[in-house]
Amino acid sequence: MEKDSQVIFDRNVVEFVTVAAQFCKFLEQAEEGTDRVRFVDTMLKILPLLYVKAILLPPCEVMGEEMPENYVTEEVYEVLRLNLCGILADKDDYLEVFEQDMHYSDQPITNYISENLADIYQDIKDFIFVFQVGLNHTMHDALAICQENFRLHWGQKLVNTLRALHNVHFTGEGAADEDGEADAAPEPGLRDF
């Protein structure tokens, strides 16, 4: 078995692919009519899992000279972002303190949960798309690119978004009341995303 095959079939890679595919599927099925409480609850469960699975990936480097194909076009990205924005409505924006531009600004910087989720989706879906094609060498390079993007971009966006979603969950609709019970219907388990 070649070196790239050993890495891409590592248990941690298989588990990451599984969680990443579920993350993409959930976002793709979300529509403007989706219940915000359920959506936020599911994101609060899957995002930490996605982060943990990304941290556990075995190290690898790009071996090929050609970049793997991208799946997510500007149109796909924008449709997804708008759907998520519709679900989150007035809870979509939040003030960001970990933005690099914050060093040069005396004003708070507003970020959007929908945009961050769409950014994360773009990297993850491009990665999943290449894995579905099933060519070992290309899969290896897609994994290396996904890891690099995690370190440089979407990992920080994920934790920033998680913080914002935590705030939505505990201060908005579905927040626990004084008795510790949520306002909304029973929350689905992890297996439901």
Side-chain angles (χ1 to χ4, degrees):
M1 191 181 276
E2 296 178 13
K3 183 180 178 183
D4 56 341
S5 295
Q6 292 173 350
V7 172
I8 61 174
F9 295 114
D10 179 270
R11 188 182 112 224
N12 289 322
V13 173
V14 172
E15 289 176 2
F16 175 72
V17 169
T18 302
V19 173
Q22 288 297 314
F23 168 77
C24 291
K25 180 180 176 184
F26 181 76
L27 290 185
E28 290 163 354
Q29 293 176 345
E31 297 175 347
E32 194 168 331
T34 300
D35 178 59
R36 180 170 54 199
V37 173
R38 183 178 182 277
F39 178 83
V40 169
D41 180 66
T42 301
M43 284 292 100
L44 285 172
K45 292 173 182 168
I46 196 168
L47 288 175
L49 191 55
L50 187 61
Y51 188 88
V52 167
K53 296 304 179 186
I55 288 284
L56 294 174
L57 288 171
C60 66
E61 295 180 13
V62 175
M63 294 170 29
E65 293 181 19
E66 290 186 32
M67 297 295 283
E69 250 185 273
N70 289 337
Y71 169 82
V72 181
T73 63
E74 285 184 41
E75 183 181 345
V76 168
Y77 175 94
E78 192 60 19
V79 166
L80 179 74
R81 188 192 66 75
L82 289 172
N83 283 342
L84 299 177
C85 184
I87 293 166
L88 293 160
D90 64 330
K91 303 293 185 186
D92 190 27
D93 63 327
Y94 67 98
L95 297 179
E96 186 52 76
V97 295
F98 291 108
E99 185 74 33
Q100 285 193 324
D101 294 340
M102 189 70 179
H103 299 291
Y104 309 109
S105 174
D106 57 351
Q107 298 293 321
I109 294 176
T110 302
N111 266 344
Y112 299 89
I113 296 170
S114 59
E115 187 174 331
N116 284 351
L117 288 175
D119 288 346
I120 296 165
Y121 170 86
Q122 184 172 25
D123 276 336
I124 298 292
K125 186 64 178 187
D126 285 345
F127 165 75
I128 292 297
F129 173 74
V130 171
F131 254 69
Q132 289 173 334
V133 173
L135 300 173
N136 289 2
H137 186 74
T138 310
M139 292 163 67
H140 181 275
D141 285 357
L143 177 63
I145 292 166
C146 188
Q147 280 184 307
E148 184 68 12
N149 289 341
F150 171 74
R151 284 191 293 274
L152 298 176
H153 306 292
W154 68 266
Q156 186 65 57
K157 287 182 186 233
L158 186 152
V159 294
N160 295 351
T161 302
L162 190 59
R163 181 178 53 82
L165 288 168
H166 176 85
N167 186 54
V168 170
H169 181 75
F170 287 104
T171 60
E173 294 173 19
D177 61 19
E178 292 177 10
D179 298 329
E181 295 183 20
D183 298 338
E187 299 173 358
L190 267 178
R191 66 185 174 279
D192 295 329
F193 64 80

